Structures are given as C-alpha cells and as structure tokens.
C-alpha cells in the first residue's frame, strides 16, 4: 500500500490520499514509533474508528511504539484507547500519556520517571551558627526539633537552583551554592517511587531571617553543636552521619562535589550540570 | 450529621449506616485526605452518583485531598471523575491516580516523580583496561564509539544494585560497587522530566565477557587511554571531565562518595543508602 499522508484541516486527523482513509495525525519518533497528540474534541465512536484504522496503517508501515497524549479535557477517549490495547505510561495534571506496542516482541519503551528529588541546605554564618527551621507539617511537626531547610527539586530545575530557592522561600536568606556534601537514596516513599536527597552546602549572602508563615513555624541561626546534639539526630544513623559530615566540613576536613555547568545538547533548553570532587583543580581548572 | 461507616459487601462501596447512603470505601491519609482504590467493575452512572455523594460526605467531614486510584480495567470511570473536577496525578502501566482538592485554598498535594535516574559503570581490570560496549540503539549506534556500560535505575532499586545488574546483563561481568565518582543532572529528556546520571566505580570479580545480544552490539576490555582518546569524548565537555575523573581515580588521586547503607524507617521495606566522602574513615568508621 502506497500512502501519501497529507495534513487535513482537522488538527488531529490526516487523510491518506489515494484511498481517502482518515488516520490520526502522527509524528515519527526516533525509535521507529509514532506520537499522537489529541487536541480537538472528537466523538467517542469516531475516535474509536480512527484509532483502529490508524493502528492498522502503522502496523503495515512497520511502526513499533505508539504514544497517545490525551489532554484532561478529552478524558472521554481514554476508555476507547484502553479497549484497543493501550496502557498508561505516565500522567501529569493536564494530560495522560498512553502507549501501545505493535510488534509481537516485548516492548522496549522507556520507563516513567522513577524518583522524586529533594535538597537540604547546610548554611553557616561566621559565628558557627547554622540556619535551621521548624516546619508546620511533616513528621517533626510539634516536636520542637530544629532541622535543615529542605525542599523539592522540580523537573527542569538544577539541584543548586532548588536549594537556593527553598532557603530563600522558607527563611528569606540569600545564599549561593558551594558543594554537594552527600546523597541519600530512599525507597517506598510517595506512590512507590524512590527519592534522592542531596545535602548541599551554601554560603549565605544575607543574614536577616524573614520566615515564610505557611510552611515554617520557626527559623533561626543556631550554634552548630546545639543542632547536632538534638536527640533525633543522635538517634538516627543517617542524620548523625550528615551532622558529622557538616562538622568535618566546618573544620575544612571534608571535600564534596562541586558543580560544573557545561554541556547542552541540541535538544535541551538548559545546560547539564556535573557534580564531582575537583579538589584544587585536580580534574579541571577551577576557574571554569 | 453523625455517620458510622461500615464496610459493605462490595469491596469499593461503604454504607453510611443511619441514612443508608452509600459512599465509596476510603482510607484516611496522614494529611487530612482520603484514598480510594477502585477494584471491582461498576456501572458508569452508579460510579458517578457514588462519587458525587462521597465528595459531599468528605466535604462535610472537612477532608482535603481525595486520591482516586483506577486500575486500567476501569478506564470507563476516568471520564466521570474528571467531569466532577478530578485531575491526573500520575500513572503507571496498570493504573491511573487522580486527585481532587476539597478546600477553597490552593492544593498542597505532593508532586509526581520528577526524575529518571541512570548509572554508568567505570570498571577496570589489572591491565588498566576498562569494560566498554557498543549499543544496538541510541544516539551512538553505528558510530563505532565505545562507551561505558549504562542503564536505568528502577524505582525501589539502589544505585549500587542497578549498576551491578546492568554490567552483568550487558556483559556478563560480575562486579561490586566501590564509589560514586560523579553525578550529572540533565533536563528536557524524556517527557519533560529531568535525569540524574551517576558515574559509579566498580571492581570486577570476573573477566570473561558474555555480551547480551539484544541491546549490545559489542563489548570488550579496552586500554583506558584508547577509550579516553575517542573523539566524541574529547569533544564533549562532560564526557571529557568524566574521563579525567576516571584517570585521576586510576592514579589514586580522586575520592568519590562511598555507599553507607543504614537507616530504614518503619514505613520502608528497604534500607536507605547514604553516599559521601568517607576518606579513610573520617566521618564514620570505615568498617560499617
């Protein structure tokens, strides 16, 4: 079958010329598959027929994976796709991504995002006091425990940007990123996903605390030794290690990973950042 | 209104006693919300009514977030939930999780997983040769470039476990985890998510290569200098840095982050792992 796809007036449908068969408008991906993004409302039965015809067409073309993006407004089409053999790949607040695998082999589609990412800030003034907070929510709420400012790294956000943003939001303190001191990987947190938590050292550029009221119950500068002596830190192995790492850093006895922003591939809007131990310019000159 | 929820015979519905109102069976979460997991088939209109009644009930109870988990088999119910104001939170191959926020304030529901996580293995034999592969797919396919074995870290999998598994799968080589050498964060990769890539040093415990045919075109031990001199490594800043880090490691001039498996919270099935620079037992005794 010779097909010459042309784009029809409808944004989601294209017309295969010689036989006047309508199929869904699709873009080829780099792995022998196609991507379909539905945008306009369409009747359930019309979509059902179009999808069936389209799959046949792509099968004849030897296509592999089919990605189908349905915006929240077109939730009425989800059932039709699932009945034809699609399954869920991932979802965000405004859309659902479904996939289908045409070959008779196991699929080789990439996995969904698997980790949430968090940051904690170790930030000290010149009196050996560190910035600590008490939160309005979470497991230490109401316990009187002081903790490092922490937060979530969003998709598209650098670890270093995220930790600076969280410190500013929670305490009003302006700071700059110095080093990754440690990384913790935990499992079985939100929704069966895993979590990576980066302990970051920051240098403060301001010192007057303006706490955020909605999330933060209290914020202050606290003597490091007082922070580290809190019972919840002494009792929990990893908190204890992190406090020891910070203590070693204070004494200039610890080297973490510095940030080296560098390459950006053509398909990326933002540069990648590599974190490593560049102790004294050992790996690359320190002035990059 | 006094309600005394009792569990009815249907697994997804409960009966609010005195008034004989049916609502969806729900479990309280730790943040003032409820979680509903639909399992049994139910008619669209029956579900629509039950969901409406349930939301009213939870609103009267002062509940906040509603989590609604719909298995793939119940895709027919997605539209009903969306029409009542639910939106998508996340999806996995077998289910879709929707959310709804009852209060008139901005929601404080946690974000979906934001990062994919990858690993690369730096693994050397006693002839200063490193284990390298050529892949059947991906952007270096057919280029003749030799690269470190790489792979994806699954949710629930330790970074150290993942890199050992990938090396074994791709090359048959058995190895043990030594150190994280570097971490790269990249953006705008799959599905708008970001990616964390951990360069790991492993020590080989076997040396005969048995390559996997489906993903790997070729695998061999290659002189490190020959690997590092490949043009794609010299030209790409981060690949170049990573090669320099490996070279420094070979010369015992580099300290990365070792793995320290330790704490497990009561709600976790698996221990967390903290990676840090424990140079000579500086932070914690090295024999843990």
């Amino acid at each position: 079958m010779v097909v010459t796809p042309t784009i029809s007036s409808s944004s989601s449908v294209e017309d295969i010329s010689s036989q006047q068969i309508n199929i869904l408008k699709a873009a080829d991906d780099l792995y022998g598959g196609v991507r379909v993004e539905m945008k306009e409302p369409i009747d359930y039965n019309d979509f059902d027929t179009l999808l069936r015809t389209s799959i046949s067409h792509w099968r004849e073309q030897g296509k592999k994976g089919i990605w189908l993006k349905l915006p929240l407004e077109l939730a009425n089409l989800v059932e039709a796709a699932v009945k034809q053999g699609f399954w869920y790949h991932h979802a965000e607040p405004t859309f659902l991504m479904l996939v289908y695998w045409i070959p008779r082999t196991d699929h080789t589609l990439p996995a969904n995002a698997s980790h949430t990412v968090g940051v904690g800030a170790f930030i000290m003034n010149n009196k050996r006091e560190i910035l600590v907070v008490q939160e309005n929510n979470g497991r230490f709420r109401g316990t009187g425990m002081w903790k490092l400012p922490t937060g979530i790294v969003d998709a598209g956000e650098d670890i270093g940007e995220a930790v600076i943003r969280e410190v500013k939001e929670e305490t009003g303190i302006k700071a700059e990123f110095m080093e990754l001191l440690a990384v913790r990987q935990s499992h079985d947190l939100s929704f069966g996903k895993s979590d990576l938590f980066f302990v970051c050292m920051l240098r403060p550029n301001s010192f007057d605390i303006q706490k955020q009221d909605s999330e933060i119950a209290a914020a202050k500068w606290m003597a490091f030794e007082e922070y580290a002596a809190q019972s919840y830190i002494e009792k929990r192995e990893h908190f204890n290690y992190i406090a020891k790492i910070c203590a070693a850093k204070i004494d200039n006895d610890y080297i973490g990973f510095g940030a080296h922003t560098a390459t950006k591939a053509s398909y990326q809007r933002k540069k990648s950042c590599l974190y490593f131990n560049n102790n004294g310019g050992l790996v690359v000159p320190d002035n990059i």
Side-chain angles (χ1 to χ4, degrees), chain A residues 101-107:
Chain A
W101 187 247
I102 294 179
R104 289 174 184 275
T105 56
D106 287 346
H107 81 76

Side-chain angles (χ1 to χ4, degrees), chain A residues 48-74:
Chain A
D48 191 55
T49 304
L50 263 172
L51 186 59
R52 202 173 303 277
T53 313
S54 303
I55 293 173
S56 297
H57 174 67
W58 295 320
R59 179 174 283 118
E60 288 184 43
Q61 288 190 317
K63 296 295 183 192
K64 296 177 178 173
I66 304 173
W67 297 88
L68 174 64
K69 185 173 178 178
L70 294 179
L72 187 65
E73 302 76 49
L74 302 187

Side-chain angles (χ1 to χ4, degrees), chain A residues 38-113:
Chain A
M38 298 300 295
K39 290 178 177 169
E40 306 298 326
I42 178 172
D43 173 76
Y44 180 97
N45 291 319
D46 290 349
F47 175 72
D48 191 55
T49 304
L50 263 172
L51 186 59
R52 202 173 303 277
T53 313
S54 303
I55 293 173
S56 297
H57 174 67
W58 295 320
R59 179 174 283 118
E60 288 184 43
Q61 288 190 317
K63 296 295 183 192
K64 296 177 178 173
I66 304 173
W67 297 88
L68 174 64
K69 185 173 178 178
L70 294 179
L72 187 65
E73 302 76 49
L74 302 187
N76 63 312
L77 308 181
V78 174
E79 186 183 4
V82 170
K83 280 189 172 168
Q84 290 195 36
F86 278 77
W87 68 90
Y88 304 139
H89 188 274
H90 64 281
E92 295 297 328
T94 59
F95 71 87
L96 174 61
M97 184 72 85
L98 298 106
V99 284
Y100 182 91
W101 187 247
I102 294 179
R104 289 174 184 275
T105 56
D106 287 346
H107 81 76
T108 57
L109 300 166
N112 190 353

Side-chain angles (χ1 to χ4, degrees), chain A residues 122 124 128-130 222-229 243 246-247 250:
Chain A
F122 172 65
M124 192 168 70
R128 281 176 74 98
E129 292 168 333
I130 66 167
M222 181 185 210
F224 175 75
E225 288 70 18
E226 194 185 340
Y227 162 80
C246 295
I250 292 172

Side-chain angles (χ1 to χ4, degrees), chain A residues 136 169-170 210-218:
Chain A
N136 283 327
E169 283 176 9
E170 294 190 354
Q210 303 277 338
K211 89 170 177 71
Q212 181 204 53
D213 292 331
S214 62
E215 289 178 37
I216 303 299

Side-chain angles (χ1 to χ4, degrees), chain A residues 165-204:
Chain A
R165 174 182 55 72
E166 288 286 353
V167 166
K168 181 72 170 54
E169 283 176 9
E170 294 190 354
T171 69
I173 297 297
K174 292 175 195 164
E176 59 192 285
F177 179 87
M178 302 300 288
E179 249 183 21
L180 285 188
L181 298 181
V183 187
R184 186 187 61 190
Q185 190 188 23
S186 309
H187 305 291
D188 309 317
L189 297 171
S190 306
F191 332 116
K193 299 292 184 175
S194 294
D195 182 75
L196 284 160
F197 178 75
F198 291 86
V199 183
C200 302
M201 185 185 188
L202 275 68
R203 177 159 56 198

